[in-house]
Every structure is written in C-alpha cells, then in structure tokens.
C-alpha cells in the first residue's frame, strides 16, 4: 500500500515483517490472536507459566469496577523474578548490566541479584517493615533501586517509587498519602556530570511530613549528607550484617505489589494500585510476546524506574522472563551526543525500548552520531509514552534499525499496568504512527459519547471494554475516585482519557488526551496540579495551563496567569513563577511559556476554555467563541506577545 504525497513522491506507509524475521518469531498469528471466548483461557494458560505456591480457584471475579484475578492463588513476584531462575542455567546469566553515567559498568547475575535482594529483605524486616506496609523509594537509576523493589515484593510490603526528579514537596505529598514509615534513598544522583541533591530533598520533605521512622541511604555519589541519628542508616552498613537467607512470602494473588502515583485531572496525584498475580501475568506475557524475546537478548528499556514503564518493562516483565536488562543511569547527551549508540555498541544491545521524544531529539542532532557506531546487534525497537509522528518513526527505522528491525509502538498507561495496543513483531504489519491493534486477550475499542463503537475511519474515545489481568485495582484509599475517574463515563467500561481514530484495517491511531492532562515528553502532568501550585504563589490571582504542540517534547506547558492587585508584571516575576513550579513539582513541570494576562476566556458557567488558550499559544486563528462569557477576554489575550 502506498500513499501519494503532496510533493509527488510515493512513500511507503505499511511495513511488512521480513520473511527471515517471520520464520524465527516466537509466537504466530493463529496462536495468539484468539477469539474473545478464549480470552480467559488465554490468560489462565499464561498465568500457569509463572511459579505459584498454590493454584488459583477462579480466573476472574468481576464485580464492575472491581476485579479479582486468580483469586485463591498464592505466589511471590520476587520469587518469580529470581528464585525460579536459579534452578536453571540462568543462575549465572546476567540479570542486570549496569552502565553508570561515567562509563563505569558491572554485571549482577541472577544468583548475585537474588542474594542482594534476600539480604535487603532481611534489612527491611529488621527495620520493622511488615507485610502490607508501603515503603517509599526515592532513588536514582542504580541496581539498588531494583534490589529495594524486589526486596519489598519478597516480604509483601508494597513499594511506592517516587521519580528522583520530583521535588521535595512532591515527594512529601506522596509519602504522606502512602503512609510510609520507611524510606529508601541515596546520597545523590549523577546528572550530566553534576550531583543532584537526592538526600537533601528527603531532608526537606521530612521537615514537614510526619510518619517516616527510618531512612536507608545508598552511598552512590559520595556526597556529604546530613545524618539524623536513629532515623538515617547507611545501606552498606545494614547490608554487612544482613543474612542472605530469606524465603519469599507466600502472598495472595490479589495482595498489593505496588502503588504508583500519577497525575490526573484534579490537583491531587492518584495512587494507582497494582496487585501481584494478574499484573505479573500481564507484564511477563506482553514483554515476551511483543518483544519476541530470545534467551540471549540484551534488552534495554530507557525509562526511569520511577515511572510505570520502569516498573513493568525494566523490572517485573523482563526479570520474570529471565532476561538480561541494561540499566543506564545517565542521559543521551553526556558526555557526548552519541551516548546511546556507544552503549549499544559496548554491550551489544539487541532490543531498544524508548520514547518518541528521545527519538525526535536524536533526529535534531542528526544521523552522524549513530552512523559512527556499530548498531548491528539491534534486532527490535520499541516506543512508548506518546504518539510517534511517522517522520520520527521512519528516522528510527532507517538510522537506528538499519531498515531491518521491526518497531513496536506500544500504547498503555500507568493504570493499565501492561501494554494494551501494539503490533506483534514479525506478525503484524507495521504502520508508522499507529500502535496497531489490541494485544491478544484484551479488548480495547473506540467509542462515541454514548458508548457505542465508532465505525472505521471515525474518531472517538479509547475504552477498555473487558477487564484485563494487569488492570489497576483501585486508587490508594480512594475507591470513589477510582470509580468516578475511570468507570463513570460508561458503566463497566474503562475510560482511558485518550482520543483515537480507527482506520480501515482496524488499526488504532492515538490522537492524544481528551481530558485536562498534558503529556510532556511522555510524562503526564495534570493542568489542575499546575494551576493549584501557581495559585499558591502570593502574586497569583488565577492561572490556567495548557499543553501546546512542541517539536521535540510532543507537548510543552504554557501557563496564563492573572496577577493580584498590586503586583507589577516583569520578566523577573515570569521566571520566578516558572521556577516556583519546578521547585514545587519538579523540573519536568516547568512551563515553557508563561504569560501574564488580565483576562482568561471562560464559559458563562465559569469554566476556562482551554481550546482558546491553545489556539492563542500556538498562534492559530481563534475557533468558535460562541460559548464565551466575555469576548473582550480574547481580544486582551490576543494582544499577548506569544510569538
Ligand atoms: O495519552 C496516552 C500516552 O500516555 C498516556 C499514559 O501515560 P502514563 O500513565 O504516564 O504512561 C506512560 C507509559 C505507558 C496515555 O493515556 N501514551 C502512552 N503510550 C502511547 C501514548 N500515546 C500514543 N501512543 C503511545 N504508544
């Protein structure tokens, strides 16, 4: 299939799996794309590939919107990621290849990782951590973070990993909401040759948040840090004393594995709850099938451990499958802009899973960087986090994959836990810019407002219309918000917050969020969260934030602010307000643009019309303004200098 382009060239728009690739692929079409009736038996069969202490009684109990998968079954995620591999030749296989920011690297085999996890599980017990108590982890991209996660899983203490780039205040809010008594952190983190003050942020957070009784600090950057007696302990000292003998707790399939906070449409982040049995079944299966996993793969997922991609496709999915993972602490441009390609060459990486924003950055830097490196070990590429524009897809395919690696564009969310839409490499034809079709055993549809499926060629809302094993079970301490946010639009059907189009072949083309959530470089940030922070500043009377199209980040934040009486507009105040958000939430939330204005466009009922703000920020002609309460507001806004 080809499509005539305006410039007269014919451009290839569908990529068929190569014949030699098809022959070697792990799963075939008929094996995996089963019909709906077989959905539950498919998942049951997949669950049975994990190690269970006791088999489940029922596959699914569905009392919408509450699901229980594999009820009655007993297992342990840490056991599945470690112990069961020790009985085979995987015992001495590399589990983690660590690449530090300074080019230092080392390997932890499955048996070494198992030993460290057992020791740290004993450390946690000695600090008084009990089953069911949430442990907060605020760490850089180092093996100890994986060790801490798996140690929590081993003793049945759910972890809450907070992204290391979040500010002290954001960390404090998450600690408070989770009710943690124990926090795992490090002295610092390396970033582009500098040291980030991780422990300093912890100290600042703990000044205003009660509840943390013990802090464990990993020595990583050798930065001098404040130690509070009887509260703060060095990881290496505790590990010296710890026994490496710690059997994995026999936990219920529906016991909590972790909480992960994500932004929503209100100011308060949501604590998404995932449980053990269904989640592990979902992530192990999708990881194995979508990445067409082979025993000798060197698999590199570039996501931070603090996000869901880090949880599902850097830790739990790959380790449950006995994969060798590459864990990289640094950034793509340090010390030089070829760092990723240097790493692929050095460690002979076979699978690279990254984000469209990173690919667009590489495109900007040009193909001379990858061209100077040997990338021939690569055999499969993947993307996640935001829609990938066909141009970036084709650049990735050509310059990184050398036109021989399939690209899997994977669509999913913190809440879905596992990939829901994706091609299966070697099976599904690839269309640049489309995340293809639902994974076997999951039911995703595009619905109209009334909850009816749209026809091919139409746009609608992405909905998940049957429960799936890795689905979130609820929001931490907030069943009502869980119900309202996801299940309130259509009973029994999960509303994702995304809009999409279905093409003539039934492929999904994600357009983006239809709610008040901005996707900056693949990271979700709620407009309400940003506005609440701005409105806490003494100079701000009212604020409205929107996502504007950005060449590299996908979307960038633009803020419109009305100042209180008595505050004069100035460049300095604009910078102060931008920095205020960075300090309160984290640098990822720092607005690209901030406009001081006297009016905001509102409906007669007082709701801000963000569509108009987006038009203004992107310099477009203003669309329909008939619902506007005061048309003078638009005129005032148009006078802003937003070039
Ligand atoms: O809008 C979709 C976008 O990212 C959102 C989920 O964000 P988060 O929970 O932070 O998880 C990101 C990593 C899984 C979705 O609602 N998104 C994610 N993957 C894609 C995507 N948009 C388009 N294409 C994708 N492949």
């Amino acid at each position: 299939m080809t499509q005539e382009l305006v410039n007269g060239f014919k451009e290839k728009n569908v990529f068929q799996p190569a014949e030699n690739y098809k022959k070697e692929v792990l799963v075939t079409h008929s094996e995996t794309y089963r019909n709906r009736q077989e959905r539950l038996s498919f998942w049951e069969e997949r669950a049975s590939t994990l190690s269970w202490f006791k088999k489940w009684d029922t596959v699914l109990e569905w009392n919408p919107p509450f699901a229980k998968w594999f009820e009655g079954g007993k297992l342990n995620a840490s056991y599945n990621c470690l112990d069961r591999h020790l009985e085979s030749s995987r015992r001495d296989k590399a589990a983690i290849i660590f690449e530090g920011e300074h080019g230092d690297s080392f390997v932890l085999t499955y048996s070494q990782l198992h030993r460290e996890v057992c020791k740290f599980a004993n450390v946690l017990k000695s600090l008084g951590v009990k089953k069911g108590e949430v442990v907060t982890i605020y760490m850089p991209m180092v093996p100890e973070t994986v060790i801490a996660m798996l140690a929590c899983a081993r003793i049945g203490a759910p972890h809450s990993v907070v992204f290391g780039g979040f500010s002290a205040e954001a960390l404090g809010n998450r600690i408070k909401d989770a009710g943690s008594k124990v926090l795992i952190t490090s002295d610092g983190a390396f970033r582009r040759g500098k040291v980030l003050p991780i422990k300093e942020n912890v100290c600042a957070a703990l000044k205003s948040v009660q509840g943390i009784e013990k802090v464990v600090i990993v020595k990583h950057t050798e930065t001098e840090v404040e130690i509070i007696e009887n509260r703060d302990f060095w990881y290496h000292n505790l590990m010296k004393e710890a026994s490496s003998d710690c059997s994995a707790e026999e936990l219920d399939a529906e016991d909590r594995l972790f909480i992960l906070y994500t932004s929503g449409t209100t100011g308060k982040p949501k604590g998404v709850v995932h449980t053990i049995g269904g989640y592990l079944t979902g992530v192990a299966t999708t990881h194995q099938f979508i990445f067409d996993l082979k025993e000798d793969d060197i698999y590199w997922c570039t996501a931070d451990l603090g996000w869901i991609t880090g949880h599902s496709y850097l830790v739990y999915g790959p380790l449950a499958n006995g994969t060798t993972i590459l864990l990289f602490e640094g950034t793509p441009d340090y010390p030089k802009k070829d760092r990723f390609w240097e790493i692929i060459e050095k460690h002979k990486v076979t699978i690279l899973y990254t984000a469209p924003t990173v690919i667009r950055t590489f495109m900007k830097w040009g193909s001379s960087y990858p061209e100077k490196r040997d990338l021939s070990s690569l055999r499969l590429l993947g993307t996640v986090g935001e829609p990938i524009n066909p141009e970036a897809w084709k650049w990735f395919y050509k310059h990184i994959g050398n036109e021989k690696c399939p690209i899997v564009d994977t669509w999913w969310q913190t809440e879905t836990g596992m990939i829901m839409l994706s091609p299966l490499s070697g099976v599904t034809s690839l269309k640049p810019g489309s995340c293809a079709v639902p994974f076997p055993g999951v039911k995703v549809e595009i619905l109209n407002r009334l909850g009816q499926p749209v026809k091919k060629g139409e746009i609608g809302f992405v909905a998940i219309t049957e429960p799936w094993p890795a689905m979130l079970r609820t929001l931490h301490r907030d069943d009502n918000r869980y119900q309202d946010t996801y299940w309130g639009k259509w009973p029994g059907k999960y509303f994702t917050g995304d809009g999409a189009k279905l093409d003539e072949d039934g492929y999904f083309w994600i357009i983006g969020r239809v709610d008040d959530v901005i996707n900056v470089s693949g990271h979700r940030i709620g407009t309400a969260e940003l506005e609440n922070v701005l409105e806490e500043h003494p100079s701000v009377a009212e604020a409205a934030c929107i996502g504007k199209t950005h060449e590299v980040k996908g979307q960038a934040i633009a803020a419109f602010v009305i100042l209180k009486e008595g505050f004069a507009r100035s460049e300095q105040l604009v910078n102060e307000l931008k920095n205020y958000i960075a300090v309160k939430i984290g640098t990822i939330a720092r607005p690209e643009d901030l406009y001081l204005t006297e009016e905001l466009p509102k409906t007669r009922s007082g709701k801000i019309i963000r569509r108009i703000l987006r038009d203004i920020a992107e310099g477009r002609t203003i669309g329909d303004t008939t619902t506007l309460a005061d048309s003078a507001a638009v005129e005032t806004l148009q006078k802003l200098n937003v070039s």
Side-chain angles (χ1 to χ4, degrees):
M1 262 182 267
T2 55
Q3 189 191 318
E4 203 75 35
L5 293 183
V6 266
N7 59 8
F9 286 106
K10 286 209 170 189
E11 177 103 343
K12 193 173 169 193
N13 269 332
V14 178
F15 294 71
Q16 300 293 350
E19 281 310 314
N20 62 347
Y21 200 99
K22 271 202 254 181
K23 269 192 225 124
E24 291 166 16
V25 77
L26 182 77
V27 285
T28 64
H29 195 281
S30 55
E31 255 182 280
T32 51
Y33 284 109
R34 296 172 190 230
N35 65 33
R36 204 175 142 229
Q37 283 70 24
E38 287 181 76
R39 203 171 58 84
L40 293 188
S41 60
F42 171 74
W43 287 119
E44 179 156 42
E45 180 196 303
R46 295 309 307 162
S48 60
T49 65
L50 297 175
S51 296
W52 295 77
F53 299 121
K54 177 180 172 289
K55 204 184 160 187
W56 54 90
D57 302 320
T58 47
V59 180
L60 171 66
E61 275 177 36
W62 180 222
N63 296 311
F66 298 102
K68 288 184 178 170
W69 284 83
F70 310 114
E71 184 68 337
K74 287 199 178 283
L75 81 169
N76 186 294
S78 163
Y79 183 93
N80 273 280
C81 290
L82 301 169
D83 306 48
R84 67 177 181 148
H85 304 313
L86 305 187
E87 291 152 23
S88 71
S89 56
R90 284 186 185 153
R91 187 184 170 80
D92 298 317
K93 178 178 173 175
I96 300 178
I97 301 176
F98 174 69
E99 169 82 14
E101 165 147 297
H102 305 299
D104 46 318
S105 54
F106 63 84
V107 167
L108 277 177
T109 63
Y110 270 96
S111 69
Q112 287 167 332
L113 182 61
H114 172 260
R115 190 183 142 84
E116 297 305 301
V117 168
C118 287
K119 285 172 77 175
F120 196 60
N122 281 328
V123 167
L124 290 176
K125 284 190 202 166
S126 73
L127 295 176
V129 178
K130 303 258 166 359
K131 188 185 155 197
E133 285 180 4
V134 183
V135 172
T136 297
I137 301 176
Y138 183 64
M139 289 276 287
M141 287 283 283
V142 291
E144 287 85 350
T145 313
V146 181
I147 293 167
M149 291 165 79
L150 292 174
C152 288
R154 198 161 187 88
I155 63 170
H159 52 71
S160 162
V161 184
V162 178
F163 171 55
F166 274 129
S167 66
E169 188 159 329
L171 169 68
N173 290 338
R174 284 158 178 75
I175 292 172
K176 196 156 79 188
D177 191 81
S180 286
K181 290 190 200 148
V182 172
L183 173 70
I184 323 292
T185 190
S186 74
D187 50 356
F190 291 114
R191 192 151 181 98
R192 295 197 175 89
K194 296 205 179 83
V195 172
L196 298 184
I198 295 277
K199 176 63 169 51
E200 232 174 78
N201 284 350
V202 167
C203 286
L206 297 189
K207 289 221 162 75
S208 55
V209 173
Q210 310 297 311
I212 291 286
E213 292 164 9
K214 307 275 188 252
V215 177
V216 180
I217 314 151
V218 173
K219 199 183 253 303
H220 178 54
T221 52
E222 307 275 340
T223 315
E224 223 174 280
V225 295
E226 182 191 358
I227 298 283
I228 299 202
E229 218 176 317
N230 295 327
R231 188 196 75 179
D232 297 355
F233 303 89
W234 287 105
Y235 177 92
H236 58 269
N237 287 340
L238 296 172
M239 287 291 267
K240 246 190 274 168
E241 318 272 305
S243 148
S244 58
D245 196 3
C246 175
S247 57
E249 283 289 318
E250 299 194 6
L251 301 169
D252 289 334
E254 280 298 332
D255 277 338
R256 294 173 175 214
L257 180 58
F258 64 84
I259 299 174
L260 189 57
Y261 286 91
T262 186
S263 288
T265 48
T266 71
K268 192 171 166 273
K270 302 180 286 197
V272 169
V273 172
H274 283 290
T275 56
I276 308 169
Y279 173 81
L280 207 60
T281 304
V283 296
T285 303
T286 46
H287 179 256
Q288 188 187 8
F289 285 15
I290 291 168
F291 296 102
D292 182 33
L293 208 64
K294 306 280 194 281
E295 191 59 44
D296 53 2
D297 271 323
I298 309 286
Y299 165 88
W300 183 16
C301 164
T302 67
D304 195 280
L305 288 163
W307 307 114
I308 191 69
T309 310
H311 284 55
S312 300
Y313 297 106
L314 189 46
V315 178
Y316 289 108
L319 296 181
N321 288 328
T323 315
T324 297
I325 61 166
L326 190 127
L327 182 69
F328 174 47
E329 183 192 11
T331 50
D333 56 351
Y334 187 84
K336 281 195 293 191
K337 291 192 170 97
D338 69 344
R339 189 68 198 272
F340 268 34
W341 323 126
E342 182 202 346
I343 291 174
I344 290 171
E345 184 180 76
K346 176 173 169 188
H347 297 291
K348 307 225 172 344
V349 171
T350 59
I351 302 175
L352 174 66
Y353 188 33
T354 192
T357 184
V358 180
I359 298 164
R360 288 192 293 264
T361 308
F362 291 139
M363 270 175 85
K364 236 171 94 176
W365 292 342
S367 55
S368 64
Y369 293 102
E371 269 158 20
K372 291 196 192 84
R373 296 285 179 179
D374 178 7
L375 306 183
S376 60
S377 56
L378 285 173
R379 63 171 195 85
L380 204 146
L381 305 171
T383 69
V384 59
E386 48 172 330
I388 180 161
N389 45 318
E391 197 196 351
W393 194 102
K394 288 176 187 170
W395 188 91
F396 198 36
Y397 187 74
K398 182 167 178 208
H399 296 284
I400 308 307
N402 194 22
E403 300 189 350
K404 70 177 175 69
C405 305
I407 300 179
V408 289
D409 175 355
T410 61
W411 178 92
W412 57 296
Q413 306 181 305
T414 304
E415 293 87 343
T416 68
M418 66 186 221
I419 298 169
M420 303 297 276
L421 297 168
S422 168
L424 286 186
S425 49
V427 176
T428 322
S429 302
L430 308 170
K431 297 190 189 190
S434 164
C435 50
V437 292
F439 187 77
V442 303
K443 186 98 163 91
V444 186
E445 290 180 278
I446 304 183
L447 305 180
N448 64 20
R449 272 177 207 287
L450 303 173
Q452 296 146 342
V454 300
K455 294 198 193 69
K456 287 183 174 167
E458 286 181 0
I459 290 178
F461 303 107
V462 181
I464 307 171
T465 50
E466 297 282 359
W468 66 103
M471 65 191 278
L472 78 165
R473 297 303 194 260
T474 189
L475 293 175
H476 186 56
R477 295 188 182 142
D478 208 343
D479 284 349
N480 288 340
R481 192 174 174 197
Y482 166 69
Q483 181 134 12
D484 295 347
T485 311
Y486 305 107
W487 306 91
K489 202 171 178 72
W490 313 287
K493 293 176 182 173
Y494 171 93
F495 174 57
T496 63
D498 276 18
K501 188 177 153 177
L502 198 64
D503 78 7
E504 65 283 5
D505 298 323
Y507 274 49
F508 285 64
W509 296 76
I510 303 291
I511 295 162
R513 303 289 305 190
V514 294
D515 53 7
D516 294 330
V517 170
I518 307 175
N519 189 332
V520 184
S521 303
H523 302 311
R524 265 160 73 169
I525 301 166
T527 51
E529 198 177 342
L530 295 162
E531 288 158 10
N532 287 356
V533 166
L534 277 171
E535 284 164 11
E536 280 169 21
H537 191 274
S539 71
V540 176
E542 197 177 357
C545 294
I546 52 124
K548 71 177 233 179
T549 309
H550 189 278
E551 203 192 333
V552 173
K553 298 179 184 172
Q555 285 192 303
I557 299 165
F560 293 80
V561 171
I562 303 178
L563 292 179
K564 280 187 188 149
E565 207 65 32
F567 284 89
R569 298 174 184 207
S570 70
E571 190 75 10
Q572 199 188 347
L573 185 55
V574 166
N575 283 330
E576 185 180 321
L577 291 173
K578 285 184 180 177
N579 291 338
Y580 190 67
I581 295 192
V583 168
K584 289 277 177 173
I585 303 179
T587 43
I588 49 161
R590 190 178 196 274
E592 182 97 356
D593 302 307
L594 191 142
Y595 310 112
L596 301 177
T597 178
E598 275 155 24
E599 316 253 8
L600 286 170
K602 288 191 183 153
T603 60
R604 287 177 193 106
S605 60
K607 203 168 175 293
I608 293 167
I609 313 179
R610 290 172 204 279
R611 177 177 48 76
I612 293 182
L613 293 177
R614 269 192 293 271
D615 286 344
I616 291 168
E618 291 175 5
R620 279 194 302 266
T621 332
I622 311 293
D624 182 16
T625 54
T626 43
T627 49
L628 200 64
D630 173 14
S631 56
V634 170
E635 270 172 47
T636 320
L637 280 158
Q638 275 178 314
K639 290 192 196 119
L640 292 174
N641 185 7
V642 291
S643 57

